[in-house]
Amino acid sequence: MDSIIVRGGGPLSGRVPIAGAKNACLALMPATLLTDEPLTLTNVPRLSDIATMTRLLQSLGAEVSELQEGRVLVLSGLGADNPRADYEIVRRMRASNLVLGPLLARHGRAEVSLPGGCAIGARPMDIHVAGLQALGAEIELRDGYLHARAPKGLRGAQLTLRFASVGATENILMAAVLARGTTVISNAAREPEIVDLARCLRSMGARIEGEGSGTITIDGVERLHGATHPVVSDRIELGTYMLAPAIAGGAVEFPGGRVDLLRAFCEKLDEAGVSISETGAGLRVARGDGPVRAVDVRTGVYPGFPTDLQAQMMALLCTARGTSVLEETVFENRFMHAPELMRMGADIEVRGGTATVRGVSRLKGAPVMATDLRASVSLILAALAAEGETRVSRVYHLDRGYEQVVRKFRAIGADIERVPG
Ligand code: EPZ
């Protein structure tokens, strides 16, 4: 298991290219199961989660070929006749559950292992199940697997999600596109990754309206055809790297960066005193001299402050002037990075879903451990301006969601290297 060593330094400068969105790509890939014709995805990020989804789809009998060193995927669901998503793969990556809806829609049956818990929470699938049952699926839990059948096919329905779950919205959307009749999903998730999935499905012949609002209407069609679709830019990767100059000082450019996908996050950075300007080519983020101001943050479903940027924002607030209160409302256990930041001298008090962060003048480098994808990168961000050396272990978490992370940080002047062990 590799580690990453960061030595705290001065202001940063340079450019960070942003890849395609992991969380869009993980929903787009299973859409290939909805048609026999090829689906080509471009702007694909090279991440271990994408490799895991590739393995899963291939285990179902689909074909996935990589072009341009993995930047382009050509997928085909033609040979996908195995409806069983195995625990061995699903337990590694919860997003494997996104094959449930497409398998049901196309083949009338699916056996998908429950993912099991992970570092940030129990992560049940009750909202997925309730939505698919509303479309006429019979689903029972047996031996840790969801056994789903729709012998007479799926039929459109009006349904309301009890919580705007991203994955449940994606599974239900992919099931409804081939259902008989009209489906209306109320309290649907509104994330840009869902908008991207809807656009891809529409280019495959699906009839969808309202994606990005709280209500999505789908008129089922007989079949879908192939398409070519560019994966939307990764707003979480962008937000993560925007925090680098905010923490270490300096100014960094983000070609193609879009504020509109990160409005709540950008408003909080602005409130903290970080300057974000839209250039002709994308975004420029800069922090003048002196620490940022403390701000209070409450995560929420889109368009609220993204839970996937909470850990990274905490790293910034550890050295802000004043006290910040972070409230995590989406996951029940997403402060695993706090004890690691405290090893670096941060002053954080966690009570349930609320973390109170009292800014200190400077963090000190220390050996710390990554616990989940976003926690890992928050430790690297904290180390950028810390005094001395920080060694982050278990960085395989990073490889799941951040492409060429050492290279991208090094390109803007960070003193960072990856070492075995
Ligand atoms: C997606 O996970 C993302 N993953 C997560 O990103 C992200 O944190 C999350 O949405 C919220 O934005 C992918 O898109 C692959 P949810 P998902 O269903 O779909 C509860 C990352 O770091 N819930 O919106 O699993 C659940 O327990 C990852 O890139 C139920 O109770 O998230 C959680 O507390 C981490 N029952 C909350 O809803 C259900 O049936 C949000 O879950 C489903 C969810």
Side-chain angles (χ1 to χ4, degrees), residues 145-298:
Y145 282 74
L146 289 176
H147 292 264
R149 290 166 16 88
K152 300 190 214 66
L154 296 172
R155 64 178 187 283
Q158 313 249 352
L159 55 108
T160 300
L161 304 190
R162 72 169 174 80
F163 174 83
S165 155
V166 171
T169 301
E170 291 165 340
N171 253 331
I172 297 162
L173 174 58
M174 287 194 277
V177 294
L178 292 180
R180 278 189 320 280
T182 299
T183 297
V184 179
I185 310 172
S186 302
N187 195 31
R190 303 165 57 178
E191 274 69 2
E193 292 73 34
I194 291 175
V195 171
D196 201 40
L197 174 62
R199 285 184 179 148
C200 177
L201 293 169
R202 192 178 293 121
S203 72
M204 295 167 72
R207 293 171 54 194
I208 302 170
E209 284 177 11
E211 69 276 5
S213 76
T215 303
I216 306 177
T217 302
I218 306 108
D219 289 322
V221 294
E222 279 291 310
R223 70 178 56 76
L224 295 185
H225 51 72
T228 295
H229 180 81
V231 178
V232 69
S233 169
D234 194 324
R235 64 193 168 99
I236 302 302
E237 186 192 24
L238 172 62
T240 300
Y241 285 103
M242 287 171 71
L243 283 162
I247 288 172
V252 175
E253 307 276 341
F254 298 92
R258 291 169 49 183
V259 168
D260 65 309
L261 297 181
L262 276 176
R263 204 159 293 289
F265 172 75
C266 291
E267 281 166 7
K268 279 298 168 185
L269 280 194
D270 180 56
E271 190 184 326
V274 178
S275 93
I276 301 169
S277 39
E278 297 191 74
T279 65
L283 292 183
R284 181 177 185 276
V285 177
R287 191 202 80 192
D289 296 337
V292 297
R293 293 186 289 272
V295 293
D296 293 341
V297 172
R298 185 173 194 275

Side-chain angles (χ1 to χ4, degrees), residues 313-376:
M313 190 70 179
M314 187 184 284
L316 172 68
L317 297 176
C318 287
T319 54
R321 194 171 49 244
T323 298
S324 308
V325 176
L326 286 103
E327 212 184 330
E328 172 56 61
T329 71
V330 177
F331 286 101
E332 67 264 30
N333 180 33
R334 203 168 193 178
F335 287 133
M336 309 276 279
H337 42 287
E340 299 304 313
L341 290 167
M342 289 156 80
R343 289 176 51 77
M344 299 174 71
D347 180 351
I348 306 169
E349 187 183 346
V350 173
R351 284 183 186 283
T354 301
T356 303
V357 182
R358 291 176 184 78
V360 297
S361 54
R362 195 167 190 208
L363 296 180
K364 291 182 178 52
V368 290
M369 187 176 77
T371 51
D372 65 82
L373 168 57
R374 308 303 175 182
S376 326

